C-alpha cells in the first residue's frame, strides 16, 4: 500500500504482512478512550511522573557594581583541636564545675593582643610538656588560660603549630601570642562564709550548696570568689583576676571543704600537690540504690558525652577520654539507698557522679545523671506504698545532689607539715539519712 493510504472497510492484510502489526497498533490507539483528570491516581506510576521544572537562571552580580563584603559562615562542626581546647580546661586539681566556664581573660571580645613573646627552651626545661613550660615561664597566666591559647593556635614551636602535651627539647624556640589580661575581677559581696581555718598562707572554708565558685555564664554574682574578695584583702592572683585565691573547685550543688591561697607562691605549692595527686580528698554521698560490693575501685575512663554537651560519660578509646579511678566504701545500707564514702584518686570532670551512675547507683537528686532534682519523705519509702501520704510526707527533704566534700588532707605549703580539715555534713543530707533510718526501722518492725 502506498504511504498514507488505508485499506477499504472489511479488508484485512494477510497474517505475517510487514504492515499488519503497525496497522493494528494504530487502530488500537485510535479506539483508546480519553481518561479524565480525576482518574489520574489510577494510572501507572510511570504515567504520573511529571517532568522536572526548567532550571532557574542564576542571577549574576553586575560587574560594574562593588561586591559587598559578606561574612564567611562558620562551620557548625568543630575541629578536634577546638574540642580539645574546650574539654581540657581543667585546673591542676582536675575538678571542674558543672556549668560552662567563661574566662574573661581570654576570649573573642578582648582587646588587640600584645606583641608575640619568644622563649628559648633550656637544658633544665627539656622534655617538659608545652603547657607546663609556659605556666612556669608566664606566671601571670594560669595553665587553663595557656591551654586555651595553645588550642587556638597562638603558640608555635620552631614555627610549627603544636598540641598541649607536646614535649619540648633543648634549644626549641617557642613563640606565643597572648591576649591582654582583663583587670576586672569579681565584685566584692558581703556574703557570709563558714571559715574553718585561717593563717598567713591559706584559708579553709566550708562551701555551702548552691554557690558557684567563680563567675561563669549565668552566675556573675553570689559566687565564692566575690565573698572572698570582700572578706580578705590578700588573695593569690595566679588563677587569674576572676578567680582570686581559687586553687581547686567544686560543683555548684556540691558542698564541703575548700582550700584558698593567699599568695602566688602558696597557690603554686598547693597546685603542685593537686597535680601530683598527693592530696587526699574524701566525699560523702547518698546514692539511689546500693552498690553490690561493700568496697571497690572503679577504673573507667571519662570523656565528653556523645550527645549532651553538659554531661560526661564512660568512653573507652575516645581520643578525649582520660583515665579515672575512684575508691568507694559503703558505710550504711538503708532501704534501697546507701551512704557511701568516696575517695577519688584522679580529678576528672563529674568523676564521682559519673562513676556512681555507672554502677547504677547515681547520687541522690543528681538531675544530670540520676534524673531527679528533689525528693520528699514519701518518695523515700520503698515502692511508694499505696496509702495516701501522711502529714509532712510531701515535704521536700533534699533539692540538690547529695554529695559533700567532707575531708581533705595535704601538706602545709609553708611548713611542709601534714594538715587535715573536715567540714561537717550539711543539715539537708543529715535529714535525709535520719528519714531513711526511720523508714528502715519501720520496715524491719513489720517483718
Amino acid at each position: 500500500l502506498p504511504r498514507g493510504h488505508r485499506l477499504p472497510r472489511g479488508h484485512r492484510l494477510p497474517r505475517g504482512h510487514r504492515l499488519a502489526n503497525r496497522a493494528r497498533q494504530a487502530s488500537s490507539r485510535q479506539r483508546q478512550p480519553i481518561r479524565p483528570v480525576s482518574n489520574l491516581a489510577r494510572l501507572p506510576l510511570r504515567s504520573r511522573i511529571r517532568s522536572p521544572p526548567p532550571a532557574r537562571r542564576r542571577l549574576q552580580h553586575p560587574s560594574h557594581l562593588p561586591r559587598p563584603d559578606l561574612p564567611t559562615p562558620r562551620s557548625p562542626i568543630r575541629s578536634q583541636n577546638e574540642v580539645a581546647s574546650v574539654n581540657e580546661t581543667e585546673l591542676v586539681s582536675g575538678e571542674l564545675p558543672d556549668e560552662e566556664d567563661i574566662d574573661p581573660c581570654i576570649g573573642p571580645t578582648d582587646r588587640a593582643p600584645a606583641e608575640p613573646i619568644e622563649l628559648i627552651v633550656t637544658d633544665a626545661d627539656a622534655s617538659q610538656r608545652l603547657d607546663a613550660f609556659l605556666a612556669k615561664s608566664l606566671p601571670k597566666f594560669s595553665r587553663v588560660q595557656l591551654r586555651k591559647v595553645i588550642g587556638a593556635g597562638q603558640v608555635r614551636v620552631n614555627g610549627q603549630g603544636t598540641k598541649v602535651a607536646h614535649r619540648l627539647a633543648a634549644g626549641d624556640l617557642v613563640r606565643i601570642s597572648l591576649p591582654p589580661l582583663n583587670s576586672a575581677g569579681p565584685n566584692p559581696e558581703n556574703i557570709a562564709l563558714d571559715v574553718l581555718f585561717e593563717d598567713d598562707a591559706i584559708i579553709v572554708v566550708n562551701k555551702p550548696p548552691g554557690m558557684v565558685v567563680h563567675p561563669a555564664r549565668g552566675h556573675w554574682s553570689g559566687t565564692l570568689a566575690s565573698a572572698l574578695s570582700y572578706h580578705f584583702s590578700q588573695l593569690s592572683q595566679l588563677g587569674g583576676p576572676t578567680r582570686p585565691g581559687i586553687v581547686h573547685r567544686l560543683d555548684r550543688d556540691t558542698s564541703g571543704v575548700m582550700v584558698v591561697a593567699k599568695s602566688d607562691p602558696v597557690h603554686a605549692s598547693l597546685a603542685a600537690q593537686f597535680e601530683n595527686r598527693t592530696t587526699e580528698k574524701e566525699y560523702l554521698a547518698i546514692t539511689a540504690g546500693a552498690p553490690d560490693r561493700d568496697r571497690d575501685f572503679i577504673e573507667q575512663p571519662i570523656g565528653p558525652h556523645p550527645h549532651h554537651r553538659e554531661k560526661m560519660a564512660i568512653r573507652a578509646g575516645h581520643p578525649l577520654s582520660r583515665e579515672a579511678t575512684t575508691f568507694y566504701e559503703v558505710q550504711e545500707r538503708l532501704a534501697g539507698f546507701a551512704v557511701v564514702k568516696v575517695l577519688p584518686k584522679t580529678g576528672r570532670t563529674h568523676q564521682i557522679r559519673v562513676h556512681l551512675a555507672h554502677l547504677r547507683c547515681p547520687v541522690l537528686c543528681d538531675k544530670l545523671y540520676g534524673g531527679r532534682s528533689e525528693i520528699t519523705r514519701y518518695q523515700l519509702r520503698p515502692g511508694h506504698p499505696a496509702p495516701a501520704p501522711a502529714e509532712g510526707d510531701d515535704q521536700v527533704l533534699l533539692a540538690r545532689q547529695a554529695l559533700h566534700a567532707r575531708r581533705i588532707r595535704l601538706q602545709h605549703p609553708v611548713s611542709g607539715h601534714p594538715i587535715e580539715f573536715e567540714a561537717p555534713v550539711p543539715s539537708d543530707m543529715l535529714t535525709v539519712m535520719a528519714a531513711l533510718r526511720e523508714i528502715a526501722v519501720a520496715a524491719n518492725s513489720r517483718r
Side-chain angles (χ1 to χ4, degrees):
L1 290 175
R3 183 178 297 274
H5 288 264
R6 297 183 179 180
L7 291 173
R9 183 180 299 274
H11 290 76
R12 293 186 179 182
L13 291 173
R15 184 177 297 276
H17 195 278
R18 61 184 182 85
L19 296 179
N21 294 335
R22 185 181 301 175
R24 189 179 300 109
Q25 293 175 1
S27 62
S28 64
R29 283 197 299 267
Q30 292 177 1
R31 291 194 303 266
Q32 184 175 3
I34 300 177
R35 301 176 186 268
V37 179
S38 59
N39 294 332
L40 182 63
R42 303 178 184 177
L43 294 177
L45 180 61
R46 183 175 298 178
S47 303
R48 282 184 282 160
I49 298 178
R50 297 181 180 179
S51 59
R56 293 187 178 182
R57 193 179 172 188
R58 187 173 181 180
L59 299 178
Q60 301 292 336
H61 189 79
S63 58
H64 65 281
L65 295 179
R67 187 177 297 274
D69 296 332
L70 299 178
T72 304
R74 182 176 179 180
S75 173
I77 303 177
R78 294 184 297 179
S79 63
Q80 185 172 354
N81 293 335
E82 291 177 317
V83 176
S85 65
V86 173
N87 290 279
E88 290 190 2
T89 57
E90 177 184 349
L91 285 176
V92 290
S93 67
E95 296 179 275
L96 291 177
D98 53 358
E99 61 271 3
E100 181 181 358
D101 258 345
I102 301 297
D103 195 344
C105 302
I106 296 178
T109 59
D110 291 328
R111 301 183 299 273
E115 292 296 327
I117 300 174
E118 294 185 353
L119 303 172
I120 304 295
V121 181
T122 61
D123 295 336
D125 297 328
S127 73
Q128 277 192 353
R129 283 170 52 113
L130 177 60
D131 56 346
F133 171 75
L134 293 178
K136 177 182 177 182
S137 304
L138 305 170
K140 290 185 178 181
F141 290 85
S142 67
R143 183 176 294 193
V144 178
Q145 300 168 355
L146 294 172
R147 284 176 175 174
K148 293 180 181 179
V149 175
I150 297 172
Q154 300 300 318
V155 179
R156 293 186 172 272
V157 179
N158 299 327
Q160 301 293 330
T162 183
K163 298 181 179 180
V164 174
H166 175 76
R167 296 287 178 176
L168 299 173
D172 285 348
L173 175 62
V174 180
R175 183 183 178 91
I176 178 173
S177 300
L178 289 170
L181 282 172
N182 189 351
S183 59
N187 296 325
E189 298 181 49
N190 186 9
I191 303 174
L193 290 177
D194 183 8
V195 179
L196 303 176
F197 175 82
E198 181 187 2
D199 62 4
D200 296 336
I202 62 174
I203 307 164
V204 183
V205 299
N206 179 18
K207 187 187 85 68
M211 174 181 282
V212 179
V213 173
H214 57 77
R217 176 178 297 177
H219 303 280
W220 303 112
S221 61
T223 64
L224 178 63
S226 299
L228 291 171
S229 300
Y230 181 87
H231 293 285
F232 302 97
S233 59
Q234 182 183 0
L235 294 170
S236 70
Q237 299 297 323
L238 200 59
T242 61
R243 306 170 186 176
I246 304 299
V247 182
H248 64 116
R249 293 176 279 180
L250 295 176
D251 293 342
R252 176 183 58 187
D253 291 332
T254 300
S255 57
V257 60
M258 288 189 62
V259 181
V260 180
K262 285 189 173 183
S263 63
D264 290 349
V266 170
H267 188 128
S269 176
L270 293 174
Q273 295 185 49
F274 281 104
E275 183 178 16
N276 298 328
R277 302 176 185 174
T278 58
T279 60
E280 181 179 332
K281 296 172 288 184
E282 177 185 321
Y283 290 77
L284 186 70
I286 304 176
T287 61
D292 296 336
R293 302 182 181 181
D294 291 338
R295 61 185 63 85
D296 197 5
F297 280 94
I298 307 174
E299 297 177 344
Q300 294 291 340
I302 295 178
H305 195 276
H307 309 296
H308 201 304
R309 62 183 299 271
E310 296 181 358
K311 295 179 63 175
M312 306 298 287
I314 303 295
R315 305 194 69 182
H318 192 271
L320 297 180
S321 294
R322 307 180 68 181
E323 62 173 6
T325 304
T326 304
F327 174 79
Y328 72 90
E329 181 178 359
V330 179
Q331 293 189 333
E332 199 171 359
R333 299 177 183 269
L334 299 168
F337 299 86
V339 180
V340 183
K341 180 178 70 174
V342 186
L343 284 80
K345 303 301 179 182
T346 53
R348 308 303 178 213
T349 308
H350 300 174
Q351 175 175 323
I352 297 176
R353 300 162 64 186
V354 173
H355 275 178
L356 290 179
H358 177 68
L359 297 181
R360 297 184 179 181
C361 301
V363 176
L364 184 63
C365 294
D366 188 349
K367 184 178 181 180
L368 200 58
Y369 297 99
R372 180 193 297 272
S373 59
E374 61 182 25
I375 197 166
T376 63
R377 183 185 298 271
Y378 179 74
Q379 292 171 338
L380 289 176
R381 297 177 181 176
H384 299 292
E391 183 178 357
D393 280 1
D394 57 348
Q395 178 185 1
V396 176
L397 300 183
L398 188 67
R400 56 102 178 184
Q401 60 198 26
L403 186 60
H404 174 69
R406 181 166 60 179
R407 184 177 62 86
I408 187 170
R409 180 181 177 86
L410 44 79
Q411 289 186 349
H412 194 279
V414 177
S415 64
H417 298 307
I419 52 178
E420 182 177 329
F421 305 100
E422 183 172 348
V425 182
S427 59
D428 55 356
M429 292 181 61
L430 291 176
T431 302
V432 172
M433 288 189 288
L436 288 173
R437 293 188 184 102
E438 293 178 3
I439 295 173
V441 171
N444 293 333
S445 63
R446 295 192 194 100
R447 296 177 184 175

